Amino acid sequence: MSATIATHDLRAIKSPLLYDARSPTETQLVPLGRQKLITSAEFMKKLQREAEEMRKAKKRSTTSGIHKYLDLLKGKTEYPFLLDQMSNVVSFPPITNCESTKVSSETNDILVEVTSSKSLLICKQVTEELIKELLHLGIGSSLDDEENSPKNCLVVEQVRVVSLDGHLKTVYPSRIDLVDVPCHVERD
């Protein structure tokens, strides 16, 4: 499977969200772990310099970490972005999230963003495996748990994906998704 997973503090996001391709020279963001507003083109150049410096310092022939994703956008005239209602960048997949939506110890509600350049099915499979693993690790609890309460239950909110012209593209989870996963799905 080939997908990226990003997490965001849901309270820091103004819905609805828009997944769009935009010019890297005109789209600005404050990348995760950074403090300064920068265009995505400038950020990519900075990451490429960092990757080359790390590769040379470690005397390796390849890059690792976030730097291995840089080639996915090489030569592209537009980059993918997840934007909030105010057109603020929430995410620049698969490169980085934004500092403004960073998850902290104060975070109670998390938006999990799963993206893939391969297929929607891969995104669904990765999401389902992630939810199963969260339950396995004890994050949230099984609905079969007698001590279950809304505070410790893993709640998955249904998401509708619509095109710019308002046509429904998909709903996740639909009634056929997460059928064998013991979590509570809030549907519209």
Side-chain angles (χ1 to χ4, degrees):
M1 283 190 248
S2 181
T4 58
I5 301 170
T7 56
H8 307 276
D9 185 335
L10 187 59
R11 289 182 298 173
I13 297 172
K14 292 173 180 57
S15 295
L17 298 175
L18 173 66
Y19 189 72
D20 198 14
R22 302 257 169 120
S23 166
T25 58
E26 297 173 11
T27 308
Q28 295 185 319
L29 67 150
V30 179
L32 191 61
R34 315 275 174 135
Q35 305 304 314
K36 185 179 166 193
L37 190 65
I38 188 171
T39 68
S40 55
E42 292 172 279
F43 185 58
M44 288 291 286
K45 286 178 188 172
K46 186 173 188 152
L47 287 175
Q48 287 163 342
R49 282 192 305 273
E50 289 174 5
E52 188 59 22
E53 289 169 10
M54 279 175 113
R55 189 189 63 74
K56 285 179 181 177
K58 293 187 177 191
K59 299 179 182 173
R60 295 193 175 165
S61 60
T62 60
T63 56
S64 61
I66 189 175
H67 302 108
K68 65 186 173 190
Y69 297 108
L70 299 177
D71 283 342
L72 292 174
L73 298 174
K74 191 174 185 175
K76 303 289 184 198
T77 58
E78 293 184 319
Y79 292 168
F81 296 98
L82 184 65
L83 306 147
D84 70 7
Q85 182 182 45
M86 307 304 291
S87 292
N88 295 317
V89 175
V90 172
S91 177
F92 174 22
I95 306 301
T96 189
N97 296 348
C98 290
E99 186 66 22
S100 63
T101 65
K102 179 170 68 174
V103 173
S104 72
S105 60
E106 305 298 314
T107 302
N108 291 317
D109 298 321
I110 297 174
L111 168 69
V112 177
E113 169 197 359
V114 179
T115 56
S116 173
S117 61
K118 304 292 181 202
S119 75
L120 176 61
L121 178 61
I122 289 173
C123 290
K124 288 181 176 186
Q125 290 170 335
V126 167
T127 302
E128 188 161 324
E129 289 304 313
L130 175 64
I131 291 168
K132 287 178 182 177
E133 188 62 25
L134 290 172
L135 288 167
H136 177 74
L137 292 171
I139 299 171
S141 64
S142 166
L143 291 178
D144 299 332
D145 184 350
E146 290 179 18
E147 296 177 27
N148 188 32
S149 71
K151 286 190 175 191
N152 67 355
C153 174
L154 186 60
V155 177
V156 177
E157 290 185 35
Q158 188 178 61
V159 176
R160 298 171 148 281
V161 179
V162 295
S163 63
L164 288 175
D165 58 3
H167 291 95
L168 182 65
K169 301 290 258 177
T170 191
V171 174
Y172 186 82
S174 69
R175 298 224 181 265
I176 61 170
D177 297 313
L178 301 177
V179 291
D180 63 340
V181 180
C183 63
H184 176 71
V185 177
E186 289 188 358
R187 302 180 195 282
D188 282 342

Coordinates of all heavy atoms in Angstrom, one line a residue, residues 81-159:
F81 N -2.8 20.5 -2.0 CA -2.9 21.1 -0.7 C -4.3 20.8 -0.1 O -5.3 20.7 -0.9 CB -2.8 22.7 -0.8 CG -1.5 23.2 -1.2 CD1 -1.3 23.5 -2.5 CD2 -0.5 23.3 -0.3 CE1 0.0 23.9 -3.0 CE2 0.8 23.7 -0.7 CZ 1.0 24.0 -2.0
L82 N -4.4 20.7 1.2 CA -5.7 20.6 1.9 C -5.8 22.0 2.5 O -5.0 22.5 3.3 CB -5.7 19.5 3.0 CG -7.0 19.3 3.7 CD1 -8.1 18.8 2.7 CD2 -6.8 18.3 4.8
L83 N -6.9 22.7 2.2 CA -7.2 24.1 2.6 C -8.4 24.1 3.5 O -9.4 23.4 3.2 CB -7.3 25.0 1.4 CG -6.2 24.9 0.4 CD1 -6.7 25.1 -1.0 CD2 -5.1 25.9 0.7
D84 N -8.5 25.1 4.4 CA -9.7 25.2 5.2 C -10.6 26.2 4.6 O -10.3 26.7 3.5 CB -9.3 25.6 6.7 CG -8.8 27.0 6.8 OD1 -8.7 27.8 5.8 OD2 -8.3 27.4 7.9
Q85 N -11.7 26.6 5.3 CA -12.7 27.5 4.8 C -12.1 28.8 4.4 O -12.6 29.5 3.5 CB -13.8 27.6 5.8 CG -14.9 28.5 5.4 CD -15.9 28.6 6.6 OE1 -15.6 28.9 7.7 NE2 -17.2 28.5 6.2
M86 N -11.1 29.3 5.1 CA -10.5 30.6 4.8 C -9.3 30.5 3.8 O -8.6 31.4 3.6 CB -9.9 31.2 6.1 CG -11.0 31.2 7.2 SD -12.5 32.1 6.8 CE -11.8 33.7 6.8
S87 N -9.2 29.3 3.1 CA -8.1 29.1 2.2 C -6.7 29.0 2.8 O -5.7 29.2 2.1 CB -8.1 30.0 1.0 OG -9.2 29.8 0.2
N88 N -6.7 28.8 4.1 CA -5.4 28.6 4.8 C -4.9 27.1 4.6 O -5.8 26.2 4.6 CB -5.5 28.8 6.3 CG -5.8 30.2 6.6 OD1 -5.3 31.2 6.1 ND2 -6.8 30.5 7.5
V89 N -3.7 26.9 4.3 CA -3.2 25.6 4.1 C -3.2 24.8 5.4 O -2.6 25.3 6.4 CB -1.7 25.6 3.5 CG1 -1.2 24.2 3.4 CG2 -1.7 26.3 2.1
V90 N -3.8 23.6 5.4 CA -3.8 22.7 6.5 C -2.7 21.7 6.4 O -2.1 21.3 7.3 CB -5.2 22.1 6.7 CG1 -5.2 21.0 7.7 CG2 -6.3 23.1 6.9
S91 N -2.6 21.3 5.1 CA -1.6 20.2 4.8 C -1.1 20.3 3.4 O -1.8 20.8 2.5 CB -2.4 18.8 4.9 OG -1.5 17.8 4.6
F92 N 0.1 19.9 3.2 CA 0.8 19.9 1.9 C 1.3 18.4 1.7 O 2.5 18.1 1.9 CB 2.0 20.9 2.0 CG 2.9 20.9 0.8 CD1 2.5 20.5 -0.4 CD2 4.2 21.4 1.0 CE1 3.4 20.5 -1.5 CE2 5.1 21.5 -0.1 CZ 4.7 21.1 -1.3
P93 N 0.4 17.5 1.4 CA 0.7 16.1 1.3 C 1.6 15.8 0.1 O 1.4 16.4 -1.0 CB -0.6 15.4 1.2 CG -1.6 16.4 0.7 CD -1.0 17.8 1.1
P94 N 2.5 14.9 0.1 CA 2.9 14.1 1.3 C 4.1 14.7 2.1 O 4.8 14.0 2.8 CB 3.3 12.8 0.6 CG 4.0 13.2 -0.6 CD 3.2 14.4 -1.1
I95 N 4.3 16.0 1.9 CA 5.4 16.7 2.5 C 5.3 17.1 4.0 O 6.2 16.7 4.8 CB 5.8 17.9 1.6 CG1 6.0 17.5 0.1 CG2 7.1 18.6 2.2 CD1 7.0 16.5 -0.1
T96 N 4.3 17.8 4.3 CA 4.2 18.3 5.7 C 2.8 18.7 6.0 O 1.9 19.0 5.2 CB 5.1 19.5 5.9 OG1 5.2 19.8 7.3 CG2 4.7 20.7 5.2
N97 N 2.5 18.8 7.3 CA 1.3 19.4 7.9 C 1.7 20.9 8.2 O 2.8 21.2 8.0 CB 0.9 18.7 9.1 CG 0.5 17.3 8.9 OD1 0.3 16.8 7.8 ND2 0.3 16.6 10.0
C98 N 0.7 21.6 8.7 CA 1.0 23.0 9.1 C 1.1 23.1 10.6 O 0.4 22.4 11.3 CB 0.0 23.9 8.5 SG 0.2 24.0 6.7
E99 N 1.9 24.0 11.1 CA 2.1 24.2 12.5 C 0.8 24.6 13.2 O 0.5 24.2 14.3 CB 3.1 25.4 12.7 CG 3.5 25.6 14.1 CD 4.3 24.5 14.8 OE1 4.9 23.7 14.0 OE2 4.3 24.4 16.0
S100 N -0.1 25.3 12.5 CA -1.4 25.7 13.2 C -2.3 24.6 13.6 O -3.2 24.8 14.4 CB -2.1 26.7 12.3 OG -2.5 26.1 11.1
T101 N -2.2 23.4 12.9 CA -3.1 22.3 13.3 C -2.4 21.2 14.0 O -2.9 20.1 14.0 CB -3.8 21.8 12.0 OG1 -2.8 21.2 11.1 CG2 -4.6 22.8 11.3
K102 N -1.2 21.5 14.5 CA -0.4 20.5 15.2 C -1.1 19.9 16.4 O -1.7 20.6 17.2 CB 0.9 21.1 15.6 CG 1.9 20.2 16.4 CD 3.2 20.7 16.6 CE 3.2 21.9 17.6 NZ 4.6 22.3 17.9
V103 N -1.1 18.6 16.5 CA -1.7 17.9 17.6 C -0.8 18.1 18.9 O 0.4 18.0 18.8 CB -1.8 16.4 17.3 CG1 -2.3 15.6 18.5 CG2 -2.7 16.2 16.1
S104 N -1.4 18.3 20.0 CA -0.7 18.5 21.3 C -1.4 17.7 22.4 O -2.4 17.0 22.1 CB -0.8 20.0 21.7 OG -2.1 20.4 22.1
S105 N -0.9 17.8 23.6 CA -1.4 17.1 24.7 C -2.8 17.6 25.0 O -3.6 17.0 25.7 CB -0.5 17.1 25.9 OG -0.3 18.5 26.3
E106 N -3.1 18.8 24.6 CA -4.5 19.4 24.8 C -5.5 19.0 23.8 O -6.7 19.3 23.9 CB -4.3 20.9 24.8 CG -3.3 21.5 25.7 CD -3.7 21.2 27.2 OE1 -4.8 21.4 27.5 OE2 -2.8 20.8 27.9
T107 N -5.1 18.3 22.7 CA -6.0 17.9 21.6 C -6.9 16.8 22.0 O -6.4 15.7 22.6 CB -5.1 17.4 20.4 OG1 -4.3 18.5 20.0 CG2 -6.0 17.1 19.2
N108 N -8.2 16.9 21.8 CA -9.2 15.9 22.1 C -9.8 15.3 20.8 O -10.1 14.1 20.8 CB -10.3 16.5 22.9 CG -9.9 16.8 24.3 OD1 -9.1 16.0 24.9 ND2 -10.3 18.0 24.8
D109 N -9.9 16.1 19.8 CA -10.5 15.7 18.5 C -9.5 15.8 17.4 O -8.9 16.8 17.2 CB -11.7 16.5 18.2 CG -12.8 16.4 19.2 OD1 -13.0 15.3 19.7 OD2 -13.4 17.5 19.5
I110 N -9.2 14.7 16.7 CA -8.2 14.6 15.7 C -8.8 14.3 14.3 O -9.6 13.5 14.2 CB -7.2 13.5 16.0 CG1 -6.5 13.8 17.4 CG2 -6.2 13.3 14.9 CD1 -5.6 12.7 17.8
L111 N -8.4 15.1 13.4 CA -8.7 14.9 12.0 C -7.5 14.0 11.4 O -6.4 14.4 11.5 CB -8.7 16.1 11.1 CG -8.8 16.0 9.6 CD1 -10.1 15.3 9.2 CD2 -8.6 17.3 8.9
V112 N -7.8 12.8 10.9 CA -6.8 12.0 10.3 C -7.0 12.1 8.8 O -8.1 11.8 8.3 CB -7.0 10.5 10.7 CG1 -6.0 9.6 10.0 CG2 -6.9 10.4 12.3
E113 N -6.0 12.5 8.1 CA -6.0 12.7 6.7 C -5.1 11.6 6.1 O -4.0 11.4 6.4 CB -5.3 14.1 6.4 CG -5.0 14.3 5.0 CD -4.1 15.5 4.8 OE1 -3.6 16.1 5.8 OE2 -3.7 15.8 3.6
V114 N -5.7 10.8 5.2 CA -5.0 9.8 4.5 C -5.1 10.1 3.0 O -6.2 10.3 2.5 CB -5.7 8.4 4.8 CG1 -4.9 7.3 4.0 CG2 -5.7 8.1 6.3
T115 N -3.9 10.2 2.4 CA -3.9 10.5 0.9 C -3.1 9.5 0.2 O -2.1 8.9 0.8 CB -3.3 11.9 0.7 OG1 -2.0 12.0 1.3 CG2 -4.2 13.0 1.2
S116 N -3.4 9.3 -1.1 CA -2.7 8.4 -1.9 C -2.8 8.9 -3.3 O -3.9 9.3 -3.8 CB -3.2 7.0 -1.8 OG -2.6 6.1 -2.7
S117 N -1.7 8.7 -4.1 CA -1.8 9.1 -5.5 C -2.2 7.8 -6.3 O -2.4 7.9 -7.5 CB -0.4 9.6 -6.0 OG 0.6 8.5 -5.8
K118 N -2.4 6.7 -5.6 CA -2.7 5.5 -6.3 C -4.2 5.3 -6.4 O -4.7 5.1 -7.5 CB -2.1 4.3 -5.5 CG -0.6 4.4 -5.3 CD 0.1 4.2 -6.6 CE 1.6 4.3 -6.4 NZ 2.4 4.6 -7.5
S119 N -5.0 5.2 -5.2 CA -6.4 5.0 -5.3 C -7.1 5.3 -4.0 O -6.5 5.3 -3.0 CB -6.7 3.5 -5.7 OG -6.4 2.7 -4.6
L120 N -8.4 5.5 -4.2 CA -9.3 5.7 -3.0 C -9.3 4.4 -2.2 O -9.4 4.5 -0.9 CB -10.7 6.1 -3.5 CG -11.8 6.2 -2.4 CD1 -11.4 7.3 -1.4 CD2 -13.1 6.5 -3.0
L121 N -9.3 3.3 -2.8 CA -9.4 2.0 -2.1 C -8.2 1.9 -1.1 O -8.4 1.5 0.0 CB -9.4 0.8 -3.0 CG -9.4 -0.6 -2.4 CD1 -10.6 -0.8 -1.5 CD2 -9.3 -1.6 -3.5
I122 N -7.0 2.3 -1.6 CA -5.8 2.3 -0.7 C -6.1 3.2 0.5 O -5.7 2.8 1.7 CB -4.6 2.6 -1.4 CG1 -4.2 1.5 -2.4 CG2 -3.4 2.9 -0.5 CD1 -3.0 1.9 -3.4
C123 N -6.6 4.3 0.3 CA -6.9 5.3 1.4 C -7.8 4.6 2.4 O -7.6 4.7 3.7 CB -7.5 6.6 0.9 SG -6.3 7.6 0.0
K124 N -8.9 4.0 1.9 CA -9.8 3.3 2.8 C -9.2 2.2 3.6 O -9.4 2.0 4.8 CB -11.0 2.8 2.0 CG -12.0 3.9 1.5 CD -13.1 3.3 0.8 CE -14.1 4.4 0.3 NZ -15.3 3.8 -0.3
Q125 N -8.4 1.4 2.9 CA -7.7 0.2 3.6 C -6.7 0.7 4.7 O -6.7 0.2 5.8 CB -7.0 -0.6 2.6 CG -7.9 -1.4 1.6 CD -7.2 -2.1 0.5 OE1 -6.1 -1.6 0.1 NE2 -7.8 -3.1 -0.1
V126 N -6.0 1.8 4.4 CA -5.0 2.3 5.3 C -5.8 2.9 6.5 O -5.4 2.7 7.7 CB -4.1 3.4 4.7 CG1 -3.3 4.2 5.7 CG2 -3.2 2.7 3.7
T127 N -6.8 3.6 6.3 CA -7.6 4.2 7.4 C -8.2 3.1 8.3 O -8.1 3.2 9.5 CB -8.8 5.0 6.8 OG1 -8.2 6.1 6.0 CG2 -9.6 5.7 7.9
E128 N -8.7 2.0 7.7 CA -9.3 0.9 8.5 C -8.2 0.3 9.3 O -8.4 0.0 10.5 CB -10.0 -0.1 7.6 CG -10.7 -1.1 8.4 CD -11.8 -1.9 7.6 OE1 -12.4 -1.2 6.7 OE2 -12.0 -3.1 7.8
E129 N -7.0 0.0 8.7 CA -6.0 -0.6 9.5 C -5.5 0.3 10.6 O -5.2 -0.1 11.7 CB -4.8 -0.9 8.6 CG -5.1 -2.1 7.7 CD -5.5 -3.4 8.4 OE1 -4.8 -3.7 9.4 OE2 -6.5 -4.0 8.0
L130 N -5.4 1.6 10.4 CA -5.1 2.6 11.4 C -6.1 2.6 12.6 O -5.7 2.5 13.7 CB -5.0 4.0 10.8 CG -4.7 5.1 11.8 CD1 -3.4 5.0 12.5 CD2 -4.8 6.5 11.2
I131 N -7.3 2.6 12.3 CA -8.4 2.5 13.3 C -8.2 1.2 14.1 O -8.3 1.3 15.4 CB -9.8 2.7 12.7 CG1 -9.9 4.1 12.2 CG2 -10.9 2.3 13.7 CD1 -11.2 4.3 11.3
K132 N -8.0 0.1 13.5 CA -7.8 -1.2 14.2 C -6.6 -1.1 15.1 O -6.7 -1.6 16.2 CB -7.7 -2.3 13.2 CG -8.9 -2.7 12.5 CD -8.7 -3.8 11.5 CE -9.9 -4.2 10.7 NZ -9.6 -5.3 9.7
E133 N -5.6 -0.5 14.6 CA -4.3 -0.4 15.4 C -4.5 0.5 16.6 O -4.1 0.2 17.7 CB -3.2 0.1 14.6 CG -1.8 0.0 15.2 CD -1.4 -1.4 15.7 OE1 -1.8 -2.4 15.0 OE2 -0.6 -1.5 16.6
L134 N -5.3 1.6 16.4 CA -5.6 2.5 17.5 C -6.3 1.8 18.6 O -6.0 1.9 19.8 CB -6.4 3.7 17.1 CG -5.6 4.7 16.2 CD1 -6.6 5.8 15.6 CD2 -4.5 5.4 17.0
L135 N -7.3 1.0 18.2 CA -8.1 0.2 19.2 C -7.2 -0.8 19.9 O -7.3 -1.0 21.1 CB -9.3 -0.5 18.5 CG -10.4 0.5 18.1 CD1 -11.4 -0.2 17.2 CD2 -11.1 1.0 19.4
H136 N -6.3 -1.5 19.1 CA -5.4 -2.5 19.6 C -4.5 -1.9 20.7 O -4.2 -2.5 21.7 CB -4.6 -3.1 18.5 CG -3.6 -4.1 19.0 ND1 -4.0 -5.4 19.4 CD2 -2.3 -4.0 19.1 CE1 -2.9 -6.0 19.8 NE2 -1.8 -5.2 19.6
L137 N -4.1 -0.6 20.5 CA -3.2 0.1 21.4 C -3.9 0.7 22.6 O -3.3 1.2 23.5 CB -2.4 1.2 20.6 CG -1.4 0.7 19.6 CD1 -0.9 1.9 18.8 CD2 -0.3 0.0 20.2
G138 N -5.2 0.6 22.6 CA -6.0 1.1 23.7 C -6.4 2.5 23.6 O -6.9 3.1 24.5
I139 N -6.2 3.1 22.4 CA -6.7 4.5 22.2 C -8.2 4.4 21.8 O -8.5 3.8 20.7 CB -5.9 5.1 21.1 CG1 -4.4 5.2 21.5 CG2 -6.4 6.5 20.7 CD1 -3.4 5.6 20.5
G140 N -9.0 4.9 22.6 CA -10.5 4.6 22.5 C -10.7 3.3 23.1 O -9.8 2.7 23.7
S141 N -11.9 2.7 22.9 CA -12.1 1.4 23.4 C -13.2 0.7 22.5 O -13.9 1.3 21.8 CB -12.6 1.5 24.8 OG -13.9 2.1 24.9
S142 N -13.2 -0.6 22.6 CA -14.2 -1.4 21.9 C -15.6 -1.1 22.4 O -15.8 -0.8 23.5 CB -13.9 -2.8 22.0 OG -14.9 -3.6 21.6
L143 N -16.5 -1.1 21.5 CA -17.9 -0.9 21.9 C -18.4 -2.0 22.7 O -19.4 -1.9 23.4 CB -18.8 -0.7 20.7 CG -18.6 0.6 19.9 CD1 -19.5 0.7 18.7 CD2 -18.8 1.8 20.8
D144 N -17.7 -3.2 22.7 CA -18.1 -4.3 23.5 C -17.7 -4.2 24.9 O -18.1 -4.9 25.8 CB -17.5 -5.6 22.9 CG -17.9 -5.9 21.5 OD1 -19.1 -5.5 21.1 OD2 -17.2 -6.5 20.7
D145 N -16.9 -3.2 25.2 CA -16.3 -2.9 26.5 C -17.5 -2.4 27.4 O -18.1 -1.4 27.2 CB -15.2 -1.9 26.4 CG -14.6 -1.6 27.8 OD1 -15.0 -2.0 28.8 OD2 -13.5 -0.8 27.7
E146 N -17.7 -3.1 28.5 CA -18.8 -2.8 29.4 C -18.6 -1.4 30.1 O -19.6 -0.7 30.5 CB -19.0 -3.8 30.5 CG -19.6 -5.1 29.9 CD -19.7 -6.2 30.9 OE1 -19.8 -5.9 32.1 OE2 -19.9 -7.4 30.5
E147 N -17.4 -1.0 30.3 CA -17.1 0.3 30.9 C -17.0 1.4 29.9 O -16.6 2.5 30.2 CB -15.8 0.2 31.7 CG -15.8 -0.8 32.8 CD -14.4 -0.9 33.5 OE1 -13.7 0.0 33.4 OE2 -14.2 -2.0 34.0
N148 N -17.5 1.1 28.7 CA -17.4 2.1 27.6 C -18.2 3.3 27.9 O -19.4 3.2 28.4 CB -17.8 1.5 26.3 CG -17.6 2.4 25.1 OD1 -16.6 3.1 25.1 ND2 -18.4 2.3 24.2
S149 N -17.7 4.5 27.7 CA -18.4 5.7 27.8 C -18.0 6.6 26.7 O -17.0 6.4 26.1 CB -18.1 6.4 29.2 OG -16.8 6.9 29.2
P150 N -18.7 7.7 26.4 CA -18.3 8.5 25.3 C -16.9 9.1 25.4 O -16.3 9.4 24.4 CB -19.4 9.7 25.3 CG -20.6 9.0 26.0 CD -20.0 8.1 26.9
K151 N -16.4 9.2 26.6 CA -15.1 9.8 26.8 C -14.0 8.8 26.3 O -12.9 9.2 26.0 CB -14.8 10.2 28.2 CG -15.6 11.4 28.6 CD -15.1 11.9 29.9 CE -15.8 13.3 30.2 NZ -15.3 14.0 31.3
N152 N -14.2 7.5 26.4 CA -13.2 6.6 26.0 C -13.5 5.7 24.8 O -12.9 4.7 24.5 CB -12.7 5.7 27.2 CG -13.8 4.8 27.6 OD1 -14.9 4.8 27.1 ND2 -13.5 3.9 28.6
C153 N -14.5 6.1 24.1 CA -14.9 5.4 22.9 C -14.3 6.0 21.6 O -14.2 7.2 21.5 CB -16.4 5.4 22.7 SG -17.0 4.6 21.2
L154 N -13.8 5.2 20.7 CA -13.2 5.7 19.5 C -14.4 6.1 18.6 O -15.2 5.2 18.2 CB -12.3 4.7 18.8 CG -11.6 5.2 17.6 CD1 -10.7 6.4 17.9 CD2 -10.7 4.1 17.0
V155 N -14.6 7.4 18.3 CA -15.7 7.8 17.4 C -15.1 8.2 16.1 O -14.1 9.0 16.0 CB -16.4 9.0 18.1 CG1 -17.5 9.5 17.2 CG2 -17.0 8.6 19.4
V156 N -15.7 7.7 15.0 CA -15.3 8.0 13.7 C -16.4 8.8 13.0 O -17.5 8.3 13.0 CB -15.0 6.8 12.9 CG1 -14.6 7.1 11.4 CG2 -13.9 5.9 13.5
E157 N -16.1 10.0 12.6 CA -17.2 10.8 12.0 C -17.1 10.6 10.5 O -16.1 10.6 9.8 CB -16.9 12.3 12.2 CG -17.2 12.7 13.7 CD -17.1 14.2 13.9 OE1 -17.5 15.0 13.0 OE2 -16.6 14.6 15.0
Q158 N -18.3 10.4 9.9 CA -18.4 10.2 8.5 C -18.0 11.5 7.7 O -18.4 12.6 8.1 CB -19.8 9.8 8.1 CG -20.0 9.4 6.7 CD -21.5 8.9 6.5 OE1 -22.4 9.7 6.6 NE2 -21.6 7.7 6.1
V159 N -17.3 11.3 6.6 CA -16.9 12.4 5.8 C -17.5 12.3 4.4 O -17.5 11.2 3.8 CB -15.3 12.4 5.7 CG1 -14.9 13.5 4.7 CG2 -14.7 12.6 7.1

